[in-house]
Amino acid sequence: MNEYTPPKVWTWNKANGGTFASINRPIAGPTHDKELPVGKHPLQLYSLATPNGVKVTIMLEELLARGHSGAEYDAWLIRINDGDQFGSGFVEVNPNSKIPALLDRSGPRPIRVFESGSILVYLAEKFGEFLPTEPAARAEALSWLFWQMGSAPYLGGGFGHFYAYAPMKIEYAIDRFAMETKRQMDVLDRRLAESEYLGGADYTIADMAVWPWYGGLAKGRMYNDSGEFLQVQEYEHVQRWADAIDARPAVKRGRMVNRAFGEPSMQLHERHDASDFDTKTQDKLAAE
């Protein structure tokens, strides 16, 4: 591999970026005019079932499971590989052009909420669920929530990108981010050795945020054969925690919403009613 010497001034090469080159660019703002659809429910979610998107659909399904009818939602599929996130309507809800984005239309004026951690806190406070009010417990849950927000870029944009998506294998980059990912898994394993959930004895938005990333990694669902490469089975406490969350019915439903890849029976492209899980998955639509 030839050593790279950075130029005095960086310029954008559209061919760079590997798998996601077509959607990465050095400027913000919309690329085209496109209004967002609006459904019948108070909450409008615009998303895709990536780990960040799944956090919010799990939260909404958990709220509905606890009887909060005000958490009914319409989930609209945003195909990021097609550039839907750069439509003018989406940029109005999230100027950062990333999924997920939420529009709360339950009050006199719509409220936009973007960034997955912010959405989780907003919903937890709106419905009084999954975030403790006792100061110490609240601080612990929020600390682990923001641990995920700061740590996952090293897992996804770092390890995942260079291990699975980059146009070439770079030993230094893979070694650097594999080391950091294993360190993070050890952080989680040590915490979960002393606590049933990340925030303490109770399941919270911290678990909902961390599980799609690190639970998915622990169960071998991410970045091809990365589970074997990273020897994720060694983290026994993370495995126990990941299995417990996997088994929750609301989590099973949340994983399906806005999913446009994988097994057709697990794909519910849009969700507008609870019955959609039984009638609108891609296997059933194909059979029709």
Side-chain angles (χ1 to χ4, degrees):
M1 182 178 66
N2 294 329
E3 185 174 349
Y4 170 66
T5 301
K8 293 292 185 182
V9 177
W10 181 84
T11 57
W12 181 28
N13 181 349
K14 291 185 179 180
N16 288 341
T19 301
F20 301 105
S22 64
I23 63 170
N24 292 332
R25 58 196 182 112
I27 56 175
T31 59
H32 59 282
D33 290 329
K34 185 177 181 181
E35 292 187 5
L36 290 175
V38 177
K40 63 183 178 179
H41 295 304
L43 300 175
Q44 301 294 301
L45 179 67
Y46 305 96
S47 192
L48 180 71
T50 66
N52 285 334
V54 164
K55 298 174 193 176
V56 177
T57 48
I58 287 174
M59 176 61 162
L60 290 166
E61 292 297 328
E62 292 281 13
L63 288 168
L64 291 169
R66 289 202 175 179
H68 292 281
S69 59
E72 273 293 352
Y73 68 106
D74 292 282
W76 304 94
L77 180 61
I78 300 297
R79 295 183 182 271
I80 61 174
N81 286 338
D82 295 342
D84 290 351
Q85 69 275 32
F86 301 121
S88 56
F90 189 89
V91 175
E92 286 180 7
V93 180
N94 184 356
N96 196 36
S97 291
K98 303 289 185 181
I99 62 91
L102 180 73
L103 197 62
D104 183 354
R105 299 170 59 90
S106 62
R109 296 175 57 186
I111 297 172
R112 75 176 188 183
V113 194
F114 58 92
E115 294 297 326
S116 57
S118 176
I119 295 172
L120 290 177
V121 173
Y122 178 83
L123 292 172
E125 292 181 338
K126 180 180 177 71
F127 294 100
E129 297 278 8
F130 302 113
L131 180 59
T133 56
E134 191 275 321
R138 179 183 174 85
E140 190 72 21
L142 288 175
S143 292
W144 286 106
L145 170 65
F146 285 97
W147 176 89
Q148 183 277 315
M149 303 300 289
S151 296
Y154 291 96
L155 168 56
F159 172 75
H161 177 78
F162 286 105
Y163 186 77
Y165 303 134
M168 65 186 72
K169 302 298 183 187
I170 302 172
E171 182 180 5
Y172 172 80
I174 292 172
D175 283 350
R176 170 68 180 86
F177 290 112
M179 177 179 66
E180 174 60 12
T181 298
K182 287 185 70 69
R183 188 195 70 82
Q184 291 175 5
M185 289 290 280
D186 195 43
V187 170
L188 290 174
D189 204 59
R190 290 168 183 268
R191 170 58 178 166
L192 292 166
E194 64 186 18
S195 180
E196 184 173 3
Y197 295 105
L198 289 171
D202 297 325
Y203 174 65
T204 69
I205 57 174
D207 302 288
M208 297 179 203
V210 175
W211 176 85
W213 284 101
Y214 296 89
L217 183 68
K219 304 318 295 181
R221 297 175 185 146
M222 301 176 70
Y223 313 128
N224 304 327
D225 59 352
S226 65
E228 180 181 7
F229 181 73
L230 296 171
Q231 291 292 283
V232 294
Q233 74 277 2
E234 295 177 353
Y235 304 103
E236 60 179 299
H237 304 292
V238 175
Q239 291 288 344
R240 183 269 306 164
W241 166 85
D243 287 339
I245 296 176
D246 262 17
R248 297 179 70 90
V251 172
K252 294 177 184 294
R253 292 192 297 274
R255 285 189 65 210
M256 296 170 65
V257 179
N258 295 144
R259 189 175 181 86
F261 47 86
E263 170 59 43
S265 64
M266 288 293 292
Q267 295 185 36
L268 183 62
H269 287 189
E270 293 184 2
R271 188 264 192 220
H272 304 290
D273 189 86
S275 64
D276 291 346
F277 291 102
D278 299 319
T279 61
K280 298 289 179 64
T281 53
Q282 285 303 109
D283 60 323
K284 295 182 174 65
L285 295 179
E288 292 177 1

